[in-house]
Amino acid sequence: MSNRTDLLLQTLRKKILILDGAMGTMIQRYQLTEEDFRTPELKDHPKSLKGNNDLLSLSRPDVIAAIHRAYLDVGADIIETNTFSSTTVAQADYGLEHLAYELNLKSAQIAKKEAIVYSERNPSKPRFVAGAIGPTNRTASISPDVNDPGFRAITFDQLAEAYAEQVRGLLDGGADIILVETIFDTLNAKAALFAIQEVFDEKSIPLSPEEGGIPVMISGTITDASGRTLSGQTTEAFLISLSHVPLLSIGLNCALGAKELRPYLKVLSEKAPFHVSAYPNAGLPNEFGKYDQNPEEMAKQVEAFLKEGYINILGGCCGTTPDHIAALAKVSEGYAPRKITFQTEPNLSV
């Protein structure tokens, strides 16, 4: 465990690490049917399962493994597990709460197997697995009922319990990193961090990566041009709210393209006492919800903040493909990773 973390930290000091791209975008290419999402045990499950992409780790592990390989082939240093919605909270929509732990375990095992193969093939380029923890489809800070602003569809304790089960599965499956991503509500993220700390305590894992623990990455999402998360926080407030944990990195993903993310990454680069990550969408969606930005255009936009030294970990979110990640890997080769200029208290102004 500590050897993997030490290797990751050493690699981060040397280069900008490349994270993979979109899982959902790649799954769409396979044009899967309802049957592809059903294991033999779920043959007669009463609810439709098509679109429950995390379930493919059980029903079509070959597809998930092939997508991991596609990203590893183009230079990804870190691949994410297929577990964005693998909590009891998110799986409740499909009546599959009982599969939450297994989804995380199997997804991590699939990714770890491929990462090991590529690491052994080229020991000078180690590959790592990030256990992906999505925000769930419920928010602890905002009422879903406009007529009852005080109502909450979920509690902090319920979120923490669901996240803890997910973390156990990811760790048992061999994840090298825990990645809490696409955060639109910081209270949800706090529940995830609480759960991570709880599980780490259970397993006697140090919380700090510098002490050999499993590194924790945090990635929020800016929802519009106002520069705030859905729950109303600025980038700086988001950083302050989560800086109580010794994170490996903090960053932004989803919602916006690279060009639109730049000013908010600047804030993190100037103020964060952690590494900074970014994995933007392939531009903004068109009127049909599709992403038209090609790899060359995305790489050109990303290069603007590489030149400024904002980034330590770089990848792609919605609409990105192995071609996009290949372009990002190539452009990043010419730039040094961001230097962390302070390691203790962040210089945060309110």
Side-chain angles (χ1 to χ4, degrees), residues 2-20:
S2 60
N3 289 340
R4 294 291 295 169
T5 297
D6 288 344
L7 184 58
L8 176 62
L9 294 175
Q10 291 169 17
T11 309
L12 271 168
R13 286 192 283 269
K14 297 175 185 175
K15 57 174 283 190
I16 294 170
L17 293 191
I18 300 300
L19 190 67
D20 61 8

Side-chain angles (χ1 to χ4, degrees), residues 292-340:
D292 299 324
Q293 190 174 79
N294 63 44
E296 293 72 25
E297 185 180 357
M298 185 177 187
K300 185 177 180 180
Q301 291 187 7
V302 164
E303 191 169 17
F305 47 78
L306 292 177
K307 288 179 180 178
E308 299 296 330
Y310 293 167
I311 298 298
N312 301 101
I313 301 170
L314 175 66
C317 203
C318 302
T320 59
T321 66
D323 289 340
H324 289 85
I325 300 307
L328 297 183
K330 183 176 181 180
V331 73
S332 71
E333 289 177 353
Y335 297 94
R338 168 182 171 270
K339 301 297 182 185
I340 302 177

Side-chain angles (χ1 to χ4, degrees), residues 43-295:
K43 181 181 178 182
D44 298 318
H45 189 72
K47 292 190 174 185
S48 174
L49 300 178
K50 185 178 180 181
N52 185 0
N53 288 345
D54 295 18
L55 191 55
L56 294 171
S57 294
L58 304 183
S59 63
R60 291 296 305 271
D62 57 315
V63 169
I64 303 306
I67 292 171
H68 287 321
R69 289 194 295 271
Y71 284 120
L72 290 165
D73 282 339
V74 297
D77 299 293
I78 303 171
I79 54 172
E80 296 182 59
T81 56
N82 180 40
T83 54
F84 187 84
S85 299
S86 294
T87 56
T88 53
V89 176
Q91 288 298 315
D93 287 351
Y94 299 95
L96 298 179
E97 300 96 321
H98 64 287
L99 291 180
Y101 174 82
E102 186 179 4
L103 288 172
N104 288 285
L105 178 71
K106 296 298 185 183
S107 294
Q109 289 174 338
I110 293 167
K112 191 61 176 281
K113 180 180 179 180
E114 300 303 330
I116 289 173
V117 168
Y118 280 75
S119 295
E120 291 177 346
R121 188 178 298 169
N122 183 3
S124 65
K125 185 178 174 63
R127 314 301 180 99
F128 303 92
V129 173
I133 295 179
T136 82
N137 50 357
R138 299 194 179 190
T139 168
S141 294
I142 304 171
S143 173
D145 183 355
V146 294
N147 297 312
D148 187 1
F151 175 73
R152 296 292 182 270
I154 198 163
T155 67
F156 183 94
D157 288 346
Q158 288 170 330
L159 281 168
E161 182 180 357
Y163 282 133
E165 182 177 26
Q166 181 168 31
V167 173
R168 291 185 190 102
L170 292 171
L171 292 179
D172 292 348
D176 302 303
I177 302 163
I178 298 296
L179 168 59
V180 184
E181 65 171 343
T182 321
I183 299 162
F184 59 81
D185 180 352
T186 307
L187 191 54
N188 283 41
K190 283 179 173 288
L193 290 175
F194 179 85
I196 289 167
Q197 290 174 274
E198 188 176 62
V199 175
F200 280 20
D201 283 344
E202 289 175 7
K203 295 178 175 289
S204 299
I205 299 172
L207 187 59
S208 171
E210 301 293 341
E211 297 175 3
I214 299 291
V216 177
M217 296 173 61
I218 287 285
S219 185
T221 185
I222 302 296
T223 54
D224 57 39
S226 72
R228 294 175 181 267
T229 64
L230 186 64
S231 55
Q233 282 192 314
T234 63
T235 304
E236 187 172 358
F238 174 73
L239 170 61
I240 293 170
S241 296
L242 300 171
S243 290
H244 61 289
V245 173
L247 303 173
L248 176 72
S249 68
I250 191 163
L252 298 170
N253 75 288
C254 205
L256 303 177
K259 181 180 178 182
E260 293 79 17
L261 274 187
R262 185 180 177 185
Y264 314 117
L265 290 172
K266 182 177 188 292
V267 171
L268 292 179
S269 177
E270 291 174 348
K271 298 180 181 296
F274 318 113
H275 297 95
V276 170
S277 69
Y279 48 115
N281 291 345
L284 298 176
N286 61 28
E287 59 270 28
F288 302 107
K290 303 294 184 180
Y291 294 88
D292 299 324
Q293 190 174 79
N294 63 44

